[in-house]
Amino acid sequence: MDATSIADFVKQVVMGKISVVQHTEQVLSEIESTNSEFNHFNLLARDLALQQAKEIDAEIKTGRHKGKLLGVPISVKDCICVKGIESRAGSKILSGYKPTFNATVIKKARSEGAIIVGKTLQDEFGFGTFSTNTGVDFPTPLNPLDKSRSCGGSSGGSAGFTALTEFTHAGLAESTGGSIACPAAFCGVVGFTPTYGRVSRYGLMDYASSLDKIGTMGKTVADASLLLEIISGHDSNDSTSLPEPVTSLDEGKGEAGLKVGIVKELFEKSDEAVRKECEKAVSEMEKLGASVKEVSLPLNSEYGVAAYYLLSMSEASTNLAKFCGMRYGLHGKLEGSFNEYFSKIRSEGFGKEAKRRILLGTFARMSGFRDAYYLRAAKTRTKLINEFKEVFKEVDVLAHPTMPVVAPKFSEIKKLSPMQNYAMDLCTVPASLAGLPHISLNAGAVKKMPVGLMLTADHLQEQKLSSAAFSLEGALK
Amino acid sequence: MPDVKIDKKLLLKVAQNARLNLSEAEVKEFLPQLKEIIKSFNKLDALGVFSEKPSFQPLPLKNVFREDKKEKCLSQKEALSNTKHKKDGYFLGPKSV
Amino acid sequence: MTQDAEKDIIIGLECHVQLDTESKLFCGCPTTADEPNSACCEVCLGFPGSRPVLNKKALDYALKVSMALNCEINKEFFFSRKTYFYPDMSKNFQITQYEIPVGKNGYLTLSSGKKIKIERVHIEEDPAALVHESGMVMSKQTLVDYNRSGVPLVEIVTAPDMQSPQEARDFLDQLTTVLQYLGVFDEKDGTLKIDSNLSIKGNERVEVKNVTGKKGVEKALAFEAVRQKGVILKGETISRETRAFNEQTFTTRALRSKETEADYGYIFEPDLPAFELGEKYLNSIKQGLPELHDAKAKRFVQQYSLDEYTAGVLSRNSSLGGIFEEAVKSVDVGLAAKFLTRELLGILNYNNLSFEATEIKVEELVGLMQMLEKGDVSEKNAKQALIKYILEGVSPSKFIEEQGLKKDLDETGLQKAIETVLDENRPAVADFKKGEEKSLHFLVGKVMQATKGKADARDIQKKLKEKIEAE
Ligand SMILES: [Mg+2]
Ligand SMILES: [Zn+2]
């Protein structure tokens, strides 16, 4: 059990104090033994992991070792393609799909010596807030702090395992409307979501292309930041990848001189206990030298959820059109017309929430409704982005609860209608729509269940977030 | 917002367009849910955005190209590696009419 | 069909032209391949996680086409997803342009001088190729080859401005001439797929989908015009529908009615950025445009005093116009024009060859024309040499040399040959004297044979006549 930071772990590996093969074996057996209880992984990449570990040990012996993630076990959300490893985005419709290529983030992590240990459980294609919308025949991951509660979603397995394991570990996760921050908050770990386009989406199986971001999950701000820095950067295979050079996410100058904006509406709409923990954390920031003021995002808090769901569902319903039982994934007996065959496979392969979102997305872009729903949402998005841009003229970083509640019990989640469920995302969707970088870190706890504080900065200001979160994390320990 | 009547007929039309067969039970479950959700979407009506330019992406991204150069592609075997439905180097699909 | 009846016909075309690029529209796969599914990658196969990146050359070409068709250029545009389910669509959506095409509101001039309005020119990706082993209707399954998937196309949409299948054909001829001039379309290997719509004034319109080639479109439209008029004549109504064309029988059959048409649910393509073209870039494309055939024909009339018809023929093909201008540097304009439009095009047409399919070198042609002009070779032998050159690649000068076809026959040689022929064919001479013109042709032929074609027929005829009349 190492429980040290990634940086320290790598130092020990380089010095030869840790055998990467042995360590990887230990991590794999821990996953095997805990997974039957918590369902954080839906696939263990045992052979691939050990093969990578052997290569790294051999490199260390010959002194040719390099890499900032040497021997570090990295879990990968199921929606990120790993060459030759079954990748299903949590959906039955991708059964048996073994990508012919690695996602750019996988290439980048591996070139720094990371060990890919397996694929983590998620809501099907990212369609959820609690990881309870997993695909047909998939289990639901459980919160390591209370098994009757959700890990959050959609990167539930990623956050759950990051919280559970005693080993050094970081996760590659993905967020469309808050799917990194939410589970990080519910499991008490750090979730770092970059600016849209900062990390290549090449090899990410889409939910909604204009909203999807690959980000990281770590036990600490330092771990999550290190992994994010490694996977960031321009990629010519992704037309929406940003050309700007990557800033290094080191400890920075912390809160000194930082202007923090407390988002009034998002505090107001959160549970009182959650609000209090977040207020305490913000006052810590003030003690560290930040100046704090209240700001308001009335349009985002009022219209964010509707605009987000309309756009994400419209895009998702086109992204999911490709799944039809022909080229990969779930297959059926080829019979009937193409319409009959496609409909049969799709009806069998998609889970309930996926169907709901495909229906809503198809509706929103159908002729006759398109202008009123899809297009209106896209226009609303302009207003919402502008509202953020105005606020960032006054402050450096926004702060508010990541989720309005602590991790709910499965029995409570069952009672929510889909719309009530969507409304739970009110704090995370505004930053997502605007493509703003944000980080969620543990601010405290309510009856032992963690509370996440979300910090959001302007586009490409990951450095500010990392440095502010790092200092706050130290102060809260 | 258009005066949309969310009924079974519309739901089935949308489902057909999305190539989904809905069971009776699914129709019964989805119909009130979709009504509730679409009603909440109608909220956007209150915000005057008529003259606003739509944002299809969060950041303004412009002019990304590749040069017209041949690159390595997959072998036929790799291309077909994920499908059970293949014949003589072709993918096999359902009847196209 | 009478002229009056044709005024009732309304035709519009959507032409899908394959752009002649090395790689596909959104990935680096080649646009040609020998084996099925051997020129594909995760992008054009629509594997999840793959992303499109726009081929710059395809955009350059689409801009050239738009400018050559006199379109307004949209400096800001983007791509859309057109979602519909079909086995040839790797993503079940096509990346195309919907709201804002690259070019709009242009025109193309027909050979009659009539202008056909171009509504839009947009870029899109080609779907895969489907193979139906036992015919489209009978096959229980479909074979799919994604090599075509993602090949760059421009779609050129006309207004319903054409009034006969012949006019539609002329439009396509003019269009391919422009495309050939621009060098963006390979008429030999590239495909031209056309959706056409035809209606009889006052009736619903019918779309004929996916016809390959210019001839096919003309046939399909001709069939439709007759069919629709027949329906009206019977007092029935024409229903708005989409039909397919059978290339074997030249007939069309109903495919689907308007009601079952897909709702494409267009959205902005979120995996591509928006595009905003600068003035400098557009100017560089504009300056790279060649002189097009219309302009060239006008110039030929002015500069070389050619008649309009000849100027039109010479400028229809950019290579031919080029050869002509090279030739007139050293040979007579009339001779060059006649040689190229009659002899050269005659041989190409007779052998069903396109200019591009041959490897004609300007120098060889000019050399041959020079010999002809100097009288070193007869017209007949020059044509013989040209055929040999076009079909077998044998150099004309070498051919003429080796076959001894050079016009080295002097006056006494010719006179001698004439005398011999007259001596040997007295009955024919007698017939001619009786007034049978045919006999003279026979005698000319005999002299030609004897002189290996080195002398010109007209010259021989004249001399024969003189000789006989002097007898
Ligand atoms: Mg088209
Ligand atoms: Zn490709």
Side-chain angles (χ1 to χ4, degrees):
Chain A
M1 303 285 165
D2 22 82
T4 55
S5 72
I6 291 177
D8 287 344
F9 177 85
V10 171
K11 264 184 216 151
Q12 292 187 47
V13 169
V14 171
M15 286 190 293
K17 286 189 181 164
I18 296 172
S19 149
V20 176
V21 171
Q22 257 176 36
H23 185 262
T24 305
E25 288 271 19
Q26 285 169 5
V27 175
L28 290 169
S29 27
E30 190 205 38
I31 297 172
E32 267 166 359
S33 69
T34 57
N35 212 48
S36 53
E37 197 179 341
F38 293 98
N39 304 322
H40 292 148
F41 282 83
N42 57 36
L43 184 135
L44 203 58
R46 176 169 275 281
D47 293 348
L48 176 68
L50 289 173
Q51 177 214 322
Q52 294 168 90
K54 267 181 211 147
E55 284 166 18
I56 288 167
D57 272 346
E59 272 180 24
I60 289 164
K61 272 207 188 96
T62 58
R64 278 186 293 113
H65 57 270
K66 55 173 172 24
K68 293 176 192 152
L69 297 173
L70 218 55
V72 178
I74 299 289
S75 66
V76 179
K77 189 175 178 179
D78 200 20
C79 57
I80 299 169
C81 289
V82 180
K83 188 175 176 177
I85 298 292
E86 191 184 33
S87 299
R88 291 175 286 174
S91 181
K92 183 183 176 183
I93 208 152
L94 276 159
S95 301
Y97 176 53
K98 290 183 178 171
T100 51
F101 64 110
N102 271 321
T104 300
V105 293
I106 299 295
K107 265 192 222 155
K108 288 194 167 195
R110 286 195 56 177
S111 75
E112 294 289 342
I115 311 275
I116 307 298
V117 291
K119 307 298 297 283
T120 51
L121 230 93
Q122 60 168 97
D123 288 294
E124 186 174 15
F125 291 106
F127 298 151
T129 310
F130 304 114
S131 294
T132 47
N133 296 329
T134 50
V136 177
D137 303 334
F138 283 79
T140 290
L142 309 182
N143 195 310
L145 299 159
D146 177 350
K147 284 196 284 179
S148 70
R149 290 174 189 267
S150 161
C151 277
S154 63
S155 310
S158 182
F161 183 71
T162 305
L164 178 73
T165 185
E166 295 287 327
F167 290 103
T168 301
H169 158 267
L172 287 171
E174 175 274 343
S175 165
T176 306
S179 284
I180 297 174
C182 159
F186 285 172
C187 295
V189 297
V190 177
F192 203 158
T193 310
T195 308
Y196 176 85
R198 184 55 125 169
V199 174
S200 167
R201 290 184 297 120
Y202 195 76
L204 170 69
M205 297 193 263
D206 312 279
Y207 164 178
S209 310
S210 84
L211 291 148
D212 295 344
K213 287 110 8 207
I214 294 178
T216 61
M217 204 74 83
K219 284 181 178 299
T220 61
V221 172
D223 284 0
S225 299
L226 176 61
L227 184 56
L228 185 63
E229 188 183 318
I230 287 164
I231 60 171
S232 295
H234 181 254
D235 178 11
S236 59
N237 286 323
D238 175 359
S239 297
T240 63
S241 164
L242 298 175
E244 282 81 2
V246 180
T247 45
S248 78
L249 301 180
D250 49 27
E251 291 151 29
K253 61 186 174 69
E255 263 75 351
L258 193 75
K259 285 181 268 178
V260 179
I262 308 293
V263 184
K264 179 172 157 266
E265 295 85 356
L266 301 182
F267 269 87
E268 281 169 7
K269 290 184 179 182
S270 297
D271 277 4
E272 197 182 337
V274 167
R275 199 161 67 211
K276 280 210 173 118
E277 291 304 306
C278 288
E279 278 162 1
K280 267 193 263 169
V282 172
S283 64
E284 284 300 324
M285 293 179 91
E286 218 166 359
K287 279 186 216 158
L288 290 165
S291 63
V292 177
K293 69 183 260 189
E294 193 180 78
V295 295
S296 178
L297 290 172
L299 299 180
N300 272 284
S301 19
E302 184 68 11
Y303 302 109
V305 171
Y308 165 77
Y309 274 96
L310 272 169
L311 288 173
S312 66
M313 287 168 175
S314 297
E315 289 183 20
S317 65
T318 64
N319 279 325
L320 268 55
K322 62 173 79 72
F323 305 111
C324 62
M326 259 189 74
R327 294 160 286 265
Y328 43 78
L330 186 66
H331 282 61
K333 202 173 161 219
L334 271 184
E335 52 190 10
S337 74
F338 69 97
N339 276 328
E340 288 160 352
Y341 178 74
F342 290 174
S343 302
K344 185 180 137 241
I345 293 292
R346 290 166 62 78
S347 304
E348 234 175 80
F350 289 128
K352 208 170 263 182
E353 181 61 20
K355 287 181 186 170
R356 226 170 351 241
R357 295 198 189 195
I358 290 171
L359 290 169
L360 283 160
T362 305
F363 164 79
R365 57 185 174 80
M366 257 162 66
S367 67
F369 307 126
R370 184 174 173 273
D371 288 3
Y373 293 100
Y374 168 69
L375 216 55
R376 189 186 297 260
K379 288 178 174 182
T380 303
R381 189 180 198 178
T382 306
K383 284 217 161 187
L384 303 188
I385 294 169
N386 290 343
E387 189 179 59
F388 269 114
K389 288 286 174 188
E390 282 304 309
V391 169
F392 281 123
K393 283 179 186 162
E394 294 170 37
V395 297
D396 299 308
V397 165
L398 297 172
H400 56 78
T402 308
M403 294 302 289
V405 295
V406 294
K409 285 190 180 319
F410 293 113
S411 55
E412 297 167 333
I413 295 169
K414 266 201 193 113
K415 289 180 212 151
L416 298 174
S417 75
M419 191 57 230
Q420 288 168 325
N421 197 318
Y422 301 161
M424 298 296 262
D425 297 341
L426 86 152
C427 299
T428 55
V429 291
S432 301
L433 269 176
L436 298 166
H438 53 277
I439 191 165
S440 176
L441 74 160
N442 192 237
V446 175
K447 288 181 198 153
K448 289 193 185 149
M449 290 315 290
V451 168
L453 177 76
M454 177 162 148
L455 302 177
T456 304
D458 203 352
H459 292 137
L460 297 165
Q461 301 298 313
E462 282 84 357
Q463 217 283 326
K464 262 184 204 167
L465 285 179
S466 164
S467 131
F470 184 80
S471 311
L472 177 59
E473 178 184 59
L476 290 169
K477 257 186 191 140
Chain B
M1 288 289 158
D3 194 13
V4 197
K5 195 160 166 257
I6 317 284
D7 56 10
K8 188 176 167 184
K9 195 178 154 218
L10 178 61
L11 175 57
L12 291 179
K13 188 183 165 193
V14 174
Q16 191 196 34
N17 208 353
R19 301 301 183 276
L20 290 175
N21 302 325
L22 297 185
S23 66
E24 259 320 302
E26 280 174 318
V27 171
K28 229 177 135 186
E29 183 186 345
F30 287 160
L31 194 54
Q33 292 173 342
L34 301 198
K35 274 185 187 164
E36 185 195 2
I37 295 163
I38 291 168
K39 199 180 144 204
S40 88
F41 289 163
N42 288 341
K43 196 184 199 175
L44 293 186
D45 221 3
L47 190 65
V49 290
F50 182 76
S51 57
E52 208 69 56
K53 250 186 133 175
S55 289
F56 296 115
Q57 266 147 345
L59 289 89
L61 294 158
K62 291 233 158 77
N63 301 350
V64 178
F65 300 105
R66 37 175 285 274
E67 291 307 313
D68 181 30
K69 262 200 297 225
K70 277 188 229 174
E71 278 155 45
K72 207 177 149 260
C73 44
L74 296 173
S75 68
Q76 188 191 65
K77 200 176 155 215
E78 286 170 303
L80 293 161
S81 64
N82 271 295
T83 186
K84 288 178 200 155
H85 299 324
K86 51 191 153 189
K87 188 184 174 187
D88 306 334
Y90 289 90
F91 283 86
L92 262 185
K95 207 170 148 66
S96 61
V97 279
Chain C
M1 216 174 290
T2 68
Q3 278 305 108
D4 266 355
E6 294 214 356
K7 280 188 185 139
D8 295 344
I9 299 178
I10 303 165
I11 294 171
L13 301 175
E14 291 174 20
C15 314
H16 299 82
V17 179
Q18 175 179 349
L19 294 173
D20 188 19
T21 56
E22 291 284 307
S23 62
K24 292 185 180 179
L25 185 54
F26 295 117
C27 61
C29 292
T31 48
T32 52
D34 302 325
E35 294 291 313
N37 297 300
S38 63
C40 308
C41 69
E42 49 268 19
V43 177
C44 50
L45 286 166
F47 285 170
S50 66
R51 321 241 154 248
V53 185
L54 180 65
N55 184 338
K56 172 91 171 357
K57 186 160 251 167
L59 174 61
D60 289 353
Y61 281 3
L63 286 167
K64 279 189 182 182
V65 172
S66 303
M67 289 174 184
L69 296 177
N70 311 293
C71 288
E72 295 163 31
I73 303 297
N74 281 312
K75 286 176 196 144
E76 285 180 59
F77 60 86
F78 54 82
F79 287 86
S80 294
R81 285 183 179 178
K82 176 181 180 178
T83 305
Y84 65 98
F85 291 80
Y86 205 60
D88 67 359
M89 297 285 298
S90 63
K91 305 179 289 292
N92 283 326
F93 63 74
Q94 182 191 32
I95 305 180
T96 179
Q97 294 186 299
Y98 177 58
E99 283 94 340
I100 311 176
V102 168
K104 63 176 178 197
N105 299 336
Y107 64 86
L108 177 64
T109 312
L110 299 183
S111 51
S112 64
K114 177 176 171 180
K115 281 185 174 144
I116 302 298
K117 188 184 173 204
I118 305 291
E119 286 187 339
R120 55 188 283 141
V121 174
H122 74 244
I123 307 170
E124 65 182 28
E125 54 178 347
D126 208 356
L130 298 182
V131 179
H132 313 282
E133 279 178 305
S134 30
M136 193 155 169
V137 183
M138 293 305 289
S139 298
K140 287 221 165 64
Q141 290 163 347
T142 311
L143 301 179
V144 193
D145 175 5
Y146 289 94
N147 287 344
R148 285 205 66 79
S149 170
V151 163
L153 305 177
V154 278
E155 182 174 334
I156 298 155
V157 182
T158 76
D161 282 355
M162 285 152 280
Q163 287 172 302
S164 69
Q166 294 75 24
E167 226 173 55
R169 172 61 193 263
D170 188 36
F171 174 87
L172 293 172
D173 284 337
Q174 300 303 323
L175 178 64
T176 44
T177 300
V178 170
L179 296 171
Q180 188 251 344
Y181 258 85
L182 297 174
V184 302
F185 174 58
D186 178 350
E187 205 164 0
K188 192 158 48 113
D189 295 321
T191 58
L192 179 63
K193 269 188 258 169
I194 291 132
D195 299 341
S196 50
N197 54 71
L198 183 147
S199 64
I200 310 293
K201 215 173 235 167
N203 295 276
E204 285 286 2
R205 94 195 145 99
V206 171
E207 192 172 11
V208 184
K209 273 260 184 224
N210 231 343
V211 181
T212 308
K214 298 186 273 191
K215 213 163 103 193
V217 176
E218 194 181 353
K219 297 264 186 205
L221 288 170
F223 178 85
E224 264 308 297
V226 173
R227 186 190 71 81
Q228 291 184 28
K229 289 195 169 177
V231 172
I232 294 167
L233 226 57
K234 271 193 274 175
E236 291 164 12
T237 45
I238 290 163
S239 47
R240 179 108 180 244
E241 62 182 1
T242 301
R243 298 178 72 87
F245 178 61
N246 184 322
E247 290 179 24
Q248 267 84 51
T249 59
F250 297 143
T251 54
T252 68
R253 67 178 169 84
L255 210 55
R256 55 177 180 266
S257 69
K258 183 71 203 148
E259 292 74 55
T260 56
E261 202 87 325
D263 188 331
Y264 297 127
Y266 289 96
I267 65 166
F268 175 93
E269 169 53 81
D271 279 323
L272 288 171
F275 293 85
E276 196 178 327
L277 309 179
E279 218 44 69
K280 213 174 121 197
Y281 170 57
L282 288 174
N283 280 336
S284 76
I285 299 276
K286 191 155 212 167
Q287 272 151 22
L289 286 182
E291 180 189 36
L292 294 174
H293 71 294
D294 269 356
K296 186 169 282 182
K298 274 187 201 133
R299 181 168 63 80
F300 278 6
V301 169
Q302 283 192 340
Q303 190 173 343
Y304 303 111
S305 311
L306 293 174
D307 61 273
E308 270 181 36
Y309 175 78
T310 308
V313 174
L314 281 173
S315 53
R316 187 135 313 145
N317 180 294
S318 62
S319 315
L320 190 64
I323 293 170
F324 171 75
E325 295 212 82
E326 192 54 40
V328 297
K329 283 181 191 162
S330 55
V331 299
D332 174 64
V333 167
L335 183 138
K338 192 178 145 204
F339 181 81
L340 294 173
T341 57
R342 291 212 197 138
E343 308 303 346
L344 179 61
L345 286 185
I347 294 166
L348 289 175
N349 288 342
Y350 181 77
N351 292 288
N352 221 342
L353 283 171
S354 77
F355 225 99
E356 287 63 40
T358 63
E359 274 158 40
I360 298 171
K361 283 207 184 79
V362 189
E363 312 85 70
E364 294 283 11
L365 292 182
V366 173
L368 187 53
M369 282 184 255
Q370 283 170 340
M371 287 176 81
L372 198 56
E373 186 170 39
K374 275 192 242 154
D376 285 351
V377 64
S378 68
E379 279 181 30
K380 181 167 175 283
N381 282 345
K383 188 173 175 182
Q384 215 50 48
L386 188 58
I387 292 172
K388 202 80 183 160
Y389 178 49
I390 292 171
L391 299 184
E392 292 167 43
V394 180
S395 155
S397 54
K398 216 171 133 198
F399 177 76
I400 288 164
E401 190 68 41
E402 279 171 6
Q403 299 290 315
L405 300 179
K406 213 153 179 203
K407 208 169 166 187
D408 48 9
L409 193 70
D410 57 12
E411 196 50 37
T412 28
L414 179 59
Q415 285 299 344
K416 242 173 121 184
I418 290 175
E419 277 162 28
T420 314
V421 167
L422 289 179
D423 282 350
E424 286 170 2
N425 298 281
R426 289 319 297 179
V429 176
D431 285 348
F432 176 63
K433 280 181 176 167
K434 273 185 242 157
E436 262 195 55
E437 277 295 312
K438 253 199 273 171
S439 302
L440 184 64
H441 295 314
F442 170 79
L443 292 169
V444 171
K446 283 284 169 192
V447 177
M448 292 276 280
Q449 245 173 23
T451 56
K452 287 168 105 185
K454 290 176 188 177
D456 273 322
R458 241 176 296 141
D459 195 24
I460 296 170
Q461 184 168 333
K462 194 174 138 228
K463 290 197 165 121
L464 266 174
K465 250 183 167 171
E466 285 169 6
K467 199 92 187 163
I468 294 171
E469 277 158 13
E471 274 183 2

